[in-house]
Amino acid sequence: MATNIFLGVNAEKITKDLAKEFAGVGLIRSEYLCRNINEYVTTEKCKAYIKNYLADICNIFDEKEVWYRFTDLTGNEIATLNGADDIFIEKWHFIGTKGVRRHLSHIKTFSQECLIIKDVYEKYKNLGVIIPYIKDIEEYKKIKSIIRRVGYEGKIGIMAEIPSILLEIDSFIKEGVDNI
């Protein structure tokens, strides 16, 4: 019997029996998928790996919600992966290009990740996405525009990791955020 508890996953293999115990998947930490195979989302190997993993999870959880967080790797971490699109090392990466700021500064790479999600969503409507490390409503509007332009029509959520989100929470709700 399912509870109201959502599962968080780090690229683990999930079974149908385990899925019965949860209301859905509240967070797939995508960076673990990249780390598992030492590849970045720019490589065909990584794209296929993420696509297959998401399809499996969405299928196993049937019509229950599954939330995928876009890659939340620092520049330092990306630099160690095959297919890194840009090599730079930041001393203070948590205030640098982490999360949404990296996606906005590397739109081509982010669009590739969005295409993976769109492809899985075409078959599994239970797949939603979460934007990491967002700081304000303007970033949300910009990143949402890219996500929609690629063709993904599903639910979009945000992480509330930066305190400024709480100051603008009403703006995010008015903009139609589906999950916080």
Side-chain angles (χ1 to χ4, degrees):
M1 176 180 14
T3 67
N4 62 353
I5 298 172
F6 284 75
L7 180 65
V9 295
N10 300 324
E12 299 90 350
K13 182 86 171 141
I14 306 299
T15 65
K16 279 250 186 221
D17 285 339
L18 181 63
K20 291 176 190 173
E21 302 298 320
F22 294 92
V25 177
L27 181 64
I28 295 175
R29 295 173 185 90
S30 59
E31 56 275 9
Y32 286 87
L33 295 168
C34 296
R35 290 177 190 142
N36 265 4
I37 60 170
N38 197 38
E39 300 278 330
Y40 192 45
V41 297
T42 56
T43 70
E44 293 306 314
K45 180 179 178 182
C46 190
K47 291 174 193 175
Y49 184 71
I50 292 172
K51 187 175 183 176
N52 291 334
Y53 185 82
L54 288 178
D56 286 346
I57 294 294
C58 288
N59 181 49
I60 287 167
F61 279 86
D62 198 19
E63 295 185 17
K64 296 176 182 178
E65 289 184 349
V66 172
W67 290 91
Y68 170 86
R69 180 177 66 192
F70 286 110
T71 51
D72 192 20
L73 295 155
T74 66
N76 301 16
E77 292 174 301
I78 293 167
T80 69
L81 299 174
N82 295 324
D85 57 352
D86 192 4
I87 305 289
F88 58 93
I89 306 299
E90 294 179 305
K91 184 175 181 180
W92 305 107
H93 52 266
F94 285 104
I95 58 174
T97 57
K98 183 175 172 59
V100 72
R101 279 172 299 294
R102 185 167 210 301
H103 298 313
L104 289 172
S105 67
H106 294 76
I107 293 172
K108 181 179 176 185
T109 301
F110 180 66
S111 295
Q112 291 177 44
E113 189 174 6
C114 290
L115 284 170
I116 299 166
I117 304 309
K118 179 188 104 29
D119 289 349
V120 175
Y121 181 77
E122 286 175 1
K123 183 171 181 181
Y124 299 101
K125 302 299 185 200
N126 58 333
L127 179 61
V129 296
I130 298 177
I131 303 164
Y133 231 72
I134 192 164
K135 70 174 172 43
D136 60 37
I137 194 68
E138 292 309 312
E139 281 184 340
Y140 177 75
K141 289 177 181 178
K142 289 175 188 174
I143 206 77
K144 179 182 175 183
S145 171
I146 296 165
I147 293 167
R148 295 296 189 219
R149 188 170 52 239
V150 168
Y152 172 76
E153 298 175 354
K155 293 181 177 181
I156 301 175
I158 60 170
M159 298 291 290
E161 300 161 298
I162 298 176
S164 59
I165 294 297
L166 299 176
L167 299 174
E168 293 190 72
I169 200 75
D170 290 338
S171 297
F172 285 100
I173 293 168
K174 285 178 188 168
E175 190 61 32
V177 169
D178 297 296
N179 186 358
I180 301 171

